[in-house]
């Protein structure tokens, strides 16, 4: 994996595009140690006036504690003369990106649909987006398996992802507001177990204050509802944030002995300090009502 990244970096300096990415590093009182939890390495290039490409490699540490490498993105954006945009390849799904920009702290915690694993974050397929003034429409036809799997189509059929929103897409950078909805549908294939996600969201940002709210309902044999609310206050190169996610599960299963309950609340409270370009430092706390002890963390992000 290290050799692959080294080759990737060497090639990136020899061609005309741009190399970048970021790493997430930190310490928490639960593991009592330092760790790199995520590394992204990417290359982007404008192949033509109307064609943009992106390749991203992802190093992730799942629950078994080992670092695994994946190809996260490999796609082109083709701008049409009519103003629309076709995306082709291994692309990011459209079900969480606008909300993530409103929340603004992916390096501290993923956005609610991603954090609670309600959606695939990337998949193989095609997409089309078009803006009509302040209204943006985005539709995708995807494999439905996610970017870490391919060819297990007995579990899924082609998935449909739709997002429509009105307003500003990057409230962590610009003042304004947005409202929108996401809908995903993944037929269950031979297993006849469909997955659906219905979500609505909204956000507002003005001067030093930013606020967001989400409601997501996910069905996959049982119904999981996530209500999330978050806010941010900026003061120079410091930002202070708080977020609460409330999960409710409608299921006939017995939860005894399981890690989750029919109602589950997780709160993130902390600050983010940007002392210099490319470095972010966040002292933060996770309050999980399913755990006896809060998780106290010091989280770093290095952007390059």
């Amino acid at each position: 994996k290290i050799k692959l990244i080294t080759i990737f970096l060497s090639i990136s300096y020899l061609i005309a595009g741009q190399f970048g990415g970021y790493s997430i590093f930190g310490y928490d009182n639960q593991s009592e140690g330092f760790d790199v939890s995520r590394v992204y390495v990417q290359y982007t290039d404008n192949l033509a006036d109307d064609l943009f490409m992106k390749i991203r490699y992802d190093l992730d540490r799942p629950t078994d504690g080992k670092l695994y490498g994946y190809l996260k993105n490999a796609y082109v954006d083709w701008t049409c003369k009519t103003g629309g945009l076709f995306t082709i390849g291994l692309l990011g799904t459209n079900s969480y990106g606008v909300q993530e920009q409103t929340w603004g702290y992916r390096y501290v915690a993923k956005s609610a649909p991603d954090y609670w694993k309600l959606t695939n974050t990337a998949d193989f397929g095609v997409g089309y987006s078009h803006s009509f003034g302040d209204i943006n429409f985005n539709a995708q036809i995807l494999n439905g398996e996610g970017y870490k799997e391919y060819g297990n189509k007995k579990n899924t059929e082609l998935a449909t992802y739709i997002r429509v929103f009105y307003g500003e897409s990057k409230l962590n950078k610009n003042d304004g507001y947005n409202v929108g909805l996401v809908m995903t549908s993944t037929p269950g294939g031979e297993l006849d177990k469909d997955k659906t996600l219905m979500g609505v969201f909204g956000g507002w940002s003005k001067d030093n204050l930013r606020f967001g709210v989400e409601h997501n309902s996910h069905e996959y044999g049982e119904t999981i509802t996530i209500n999330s609310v978050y806010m941010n206050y900026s003061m120079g190169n410091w930002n202070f944030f708080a977020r609460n996610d409330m999960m409710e599960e409608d299921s006939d299963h017995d939860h005894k002995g399981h890690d989750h309950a029919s109602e589950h609340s997780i709160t993130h409270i902390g600050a983010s300090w940007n002392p210099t370009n490319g470095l972010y430092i966040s002292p933060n706390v996770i309050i999980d009502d399913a755990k006896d002890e809060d998780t106290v963390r010091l989280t770093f992000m290095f952007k390059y």
Side-chain angles (χ1 to χ4, degrees):
K1 295 171 184 175
I2 300 300
K3 289 182 179 179
L4 180 61
I5 293 176
T6 302
I7 293 171
F8 188 88
L9 297 180
S10 301
I11 294 174
S12 70
Y13 284 110
L14 298 176
I15 47 184
Q18 183 175 3
F19 162 78
Y22 64 89
S23 301
I24 301 174
F25 173 79
Y27 174 89
D28 71 72
N29 66 323
Q30 298 288 344
S31 62
E32 296 184 344
F34 292 96
D35 183 32
V36 173
S37 60
R38 206 74 182 249
V39 177
Y40 287 111
V41 180
Q42 69 183 35
Y43 176 78
T44 59
D45 196 0
N46 290 305
L47 304 178
D49 291 341
D50 57 354
L51 193 66
F52 166 85
M53 65 85 69
K54 178 177 180 179
I55 298 174
R56 170 181 278 187
Y57 193 74
D58 177 6
L59 282 171
D60 184 19
R61 191 185 300 280
T63 55
D64 66 359
K66 298 179 180 179
L67 276 172
Y68 292 91
Y70 303 95
L71 184 64
K72 182 68 176 283
N73 294 127
Y75 67 83
V76 293
D77 283 335
W78 176 32
T79 303
C80 306
K81 293 181 179 179
T82 58
L85 184 74
F86 281 101
T87 303
I88 306 164
L90 175 54
L91 49 94
T93 62
N94 60 19
S95 50
Y96 68 101
V98 176
Q99 306 94 299
E100 187 169 84
Q101 297 291 340
T102 303
W103 159 232
Y105 298 102
R106 191 186 190 282
Y107 82 101
V108 174
K110 300 174 183 177
S111 60
D114 189 7
Y115 187 91
W116 293 90
K117 301 187 184 304
L118 306 183
T119 183
N120 290 321
T121 57
D123 205 343
F124 302 86
V126 296
Y128 177 76
S129 62
H130 200 294
S131 293
F132 305 89
D134 290 329
I135 299 175
N136 179 270
F137 171 80
N138 186 294
Q140 298 174 331
I141 303 296
L142 308 171
N143 279 357
E145 300 167 297
Y147 68 100
K148 295 180 182 180
E149 296 188 35
Y150 175 75
N152 194 21
K153 298 304 291 181
K154 69 178 182 180
N155 294 329
T156 63
E157 297 176 7
L158 289 179
T160 303
Y161 282 59
I162 295 174
R163 183 195 68 206
V164 181
F165 76 91
Y166 175 87
E168 172 59 49
S169 63
K170 296 182 179 180
L171 293 178
N172 59 332
K173 296 182 178 180
N174 304 311
D175 287 351
Y177 68 93
N178 62 49
V179 291
L181 62 89
V182 293
M183 299 177 290
T184 73
S185 175
T186 307
E190 296 177 10
L191 299 181
D192 195 26
K193 195 175 181 182
D194 298 348
K195 293 181 185 180
T196 62
L197 172 65
M198 294 286 294
V200 293
F201 61 88
W204 175 87
S205 178
K206 179 67 174 178
D207 297 329
N208 298 328
L209 186 63
R210 185 171 74 249
F211 176 80
V213 61
E214 297 179 49
H215 171 84
N216 294 283
S217 179
H218 181 265
E219 292 189 17
Y220 184 49
E222 56 193 20
T223 301
I224 296 176
T225 301
I226 308 294
N227 293 306
S228 183
V229 59
Y230 34 89
M231 66 175 296
N232 177 82
Y233 182 77
S234 300
M235 185 181 298
N237 57 2
W238 280 92
N239 286 269
F240 302 90
F241 59 82
R243 166 177 152 187
N244 177 256
D245 293 353
M246 174 62 72
M247 184 273 284
E248 296 181 2
E249 185 173 3
D250 182 10
S251 173
D252 295 330
H253 297 301
D254 183 5
H255 294 290
K256 293 181 180 179
H258 291 249
D259 292 335
H260 62 280
S262 58
E263 293 186 357
H264 188 179
S265 175
I266 295 181
T267 301
H268 297 266
I269 300 174
S272 179
W273 180 39
N274 179 208
T276 188
N277 186 39
L279 176 61
Y280 298 82
I281 304 172
S282 173
N284 61 93
V285 179
I286 303 175
I287 303 171
D288 188 339
D289 67 359
K291 296 182 178 180
D292 296 331
E293 183 182 5
D294 299 338
T295 302
V296 180
R297 306 190 302 175
L298 183 63
T299 308
F300 301 82
M301 180 173 66
F302 323 127
K303 298 184 72 174
Y304 36 83

